[in-house]
Amino acid sequence: MRRALILALLAFATPVLADSNMPAAPLADVQLADARQEAAATALMETIRCLVCQGQSIADSNAELAGDMRSLIRQRIAAGERPEAIRAWLVRRYGAWVSYSPALTPVTWPLWIAPLAFLAIGVAVARTGLRRRRRR
């Protein structure tokens, strides 16, 4: 009984211990003073996938890594770097998966062509089915 209680306490305490005590990155939740730069940063952050949450952009995520990435993007845009250059750097560092809008390359062709191929297959199947119905 005592062993089970200790294991249960450890199981519940583990998520609490997983949270770091590090302070948030300086620009993680602070907007840039220049509205145009902040708009550019926000637009970029909304198209970058959170590496921790995976279903959210870094603009929406509360993960510490997403905060670090938001801060990095704001710092680079404040320094005058273009959003496309920052995206390219992030893709080089984390892979094409980090971007919600991957570039058209031979590796990503199936992503762009597959919807059209499936649509063509669906139209062909529907057309064949309609022809069979007309013959009956």
Side-chain angles (χ1 to χ4, degrees):
M1 178 69 181
R2 189 175 195 183
R3 196 176 275 174
L5 181 63
I6 291 172
L7 287 174
L9 287 174
L10 286 175
F12 287 114
T14 302
V16 172
L17 297 175
D19 193 20
S20 89
N21 294 326
M22 299 282 292
L27 292 175
D29 300 314
V30 177
Q31 294 186 351
L32 295 172
D34 185 350
R36 267 190 2 206
Q37 287 181 334
E38 180 60 29
T42 301
L44 179 59
M45 289 186 284
E46 289 174 348
T47 62
I48 300 296
R49 184 186 315 265
C50 175
L51 300 173
V52 176
C53 304
Q54 300 182 1
Q56 293 180 313
S57 69
I58 62 169
D60 299 329
S61 176
N62 292 329
E64 287 183 39
L65 182 59
D68 292 344
M69 292 171 80
R70 285 193 304 268
S71 179
L72 177 124
I73 287 173
R74 284 187 173 119
Q75 288 172 352
R76 287 183 166 216
I77 285 184
E81 198 169 339
R82 298 180 54 91
E84 297 83 22
I86 299 168
R87 176 189 305 282
W89 182 82
L90 287 168
V91 167
R92 278 193 312 272
R93 184 173 177 104
Y94 298 109
W97 185 81
V98 76
S99 176
Y100 276 122
S101 56
L104 184 59
T105 64
V107 174
T108 60
W109 283 353
L111 293 173
W112 297 98
I113 294 173
L116 296 174
F118 286 126
L119 180 64
I121 291 169
V123 168
V125 168
R127 192 173 186 183
T128 303
L130 289 174
R131 282 185 182 171
R132 285 184 184 168
R133 280 189 179 179
R134 287 183 186 162
R135 290 181 187 165
R136 289 182 194 171

